[in-house]
Amino acid sequence: MFGGGIRIGSVFGIEIRIDGSWVVIALLIAWGLYAQFRMVFEDLAPEPAAGLGIVTAALFFGSVLLHELSHSVVARSLGIPVAGITLFLFGGVTQTKLDAQSPGDEFKIAIVGPVTSIILAAVFWLLTVTVGAASPDPIAWALGYLGWINLALGIFNLLPGFPLDGGRVLRSILWKRSGSVTQATKGAARGGQIVAIGMIAIGLVQVFSGYLGGLWLAAIGWFLYQAAGASAANVVVRRMLRDLSAGDLMSPNPVTIPAGLTLADAVDHYFLRYDHSAFPVDDDGVVTGLLTLRAVRHVPRDQWDFIQVWRTMAPLDDIQCVASDLPMDQVLEQFESDEIDRVLVMDDGRVLGIITPRDVARWVQRSQELGITSTEG
Ligand SMILES: [Zn+2]
């Protein structure tokens, strides 16, 4: 989900992306508003109704964006770097490069979103009673609608279920009380699942009593239920990885390829023999680069007999290297934010090992199979 979506620009240096789902939702909302305008104001011609529908949908979009920006700005003011905002479905996610370091920070970052939405609701309400009162009815109606939708957004996000803002608030309170962020996350995620089940139940009751709109509520509940479980698992894994260093998890003593070998020999004796897609390149006992399967594939096959490994490899300067004592949660962060396939673990210019996302996944799976799924902290 993260990193995907279409980049639409940046505000205060915070990158903003929209998920494909948002395009569909935005069109549905604009269409729904158009239909509402035509229904409520029978004299309204199709063109102004469509214009109003689009402008109102855009203002709704802007409201959601302001909500997310408030999270980002507060996070950044607390020293937590923000990777970007992705808008999807009815809301968005603000992706930070680090988790909040204290319950107090977590509380501030979480609560500011719903507060922003409720302030926006108040602003639109004020506009409704001032500007709206002097404007044609459809404009007053649109302002009133924006007030209500922001109020609903604020209240919905305050529901005490992780990963909703209210769930993060709950987590910060549980965290402060117990001192354990893992326990707090599990508690808040359970809250998320209870809220989700409640939404699904209410949605289904509505459907069975003939109101098909209940399907939306049930669908959002289902989405929230999945997200609660996944987010909790993600936080627990990160927490486990924090206690581990790159040196603990790397595949040690990687097989190296001599720099002078031809690509044909490298393919026959290394790529086809070992289960690795990259090999450090050894030049007289010193690692000078990395030869990847992808780089070899870029060389036309009829040249493999004539081109040496050192001419095809990526030089060491272009490869992400980490020290063996770097905590694994930070290595994971590099995989996610830099979209790289591997890091070399190096101490004093010597290559000690390699880590790929697959190594991390395998470690997590093994730990779970062995029942080592929670650490305190
Ligand atoms: Zn929020």
Side-chain angles (χ1 to χ4, degrees), residues 67-68 71 92 110 113-114 157 164-165:
H67 172 117
E68 292 307 321
H71 289 305
N157 273 294
L164 295 175
D165 295 334

Side-chain angles (χ1 to χ4, degrees), residues 130-211:
T130 54
V131 181
S135 310
D137 287 347
I139 291 176
W141 188 91
L143 289 169
Y145 166 85
L146 286 165
W148 280 113
I149 199 97
N150 272 297
L151 186 65
L153 210 64
I155 291 173
F156 172 70
N157 273 294
L158 276 177
L159 292 174
F162 197 76
L164 295 175
D165 295 334
R168 290 179 191 278
V169 168
L170 174 63
R171 176 166 85 151
S172 72
I173 294 167
L174 296 174
W175 183 2
K176 175 118 191 170
R177 254 200 220 156
S178 67
S180 159
V181 72
T182 312
Q183 289 308 322
T185 306
K186 284 181 183 165
R190 212 162 296 138
Q193 290 178 329
I194 293 168
V195 167
I197 290 169
M199 286 168 65
I200 295 171
I202 295 171
L204 290 180
V205 166
Q206 286 180 333
V207 171
F208 286 120
S209 41
Y211 175 64

Side-chain angles (χ1 to χ4, degrees), residues 15 54 70 102 108 157 176 208 230 242 268 281 284 288 296:
E15 184 162 290
I54 290 167
S70 73
S102 73
K108 287 177 209 154
N157 273 294
K176 175 118 191 170
F208 286 120
R242 211 166 90 160
D268 285 348
V281 176
D284 262 349
T288 52
V296 173

Side-chain angles (χ1 to χ4, degrees), residues 263 290-292 295-296 299 307-314:
L263 289 185
L290 191 78
L291 184 69
T292 63
V296 173
V299 179
I307 292 187
Q308 292 88 10
V309 164
W310 63 270
R311 290 176 59 187
T312 313
M313 71 182 189

Side-chain angles (χ1 to χ4, degrees), residues 17 119 124 126 138 161 164 175 182 187 268 286 293 325 330 335:
R17 293 168 171 275
I119 290 174
F124 279 116
L126 265 178
L164 295 175
W175 183 2
T182 312
D268 285 348
V286 180
L293 190 63
D325 58 358
Q330 291 182 37
F335 284 140

Side-chain angles (χ1 to χ4, degrees), residues 289-306:
L290 191 78
L291 184 69
T292 63
L293 190 63
R294 198 180 302 166
V296 173
R297 272 210 312 251
H298 276 176
V299 179
R301 203 166 179 159
D302 54 7
Q303 293 174 26
W304 284 4
D305 279 323
F306 314 107

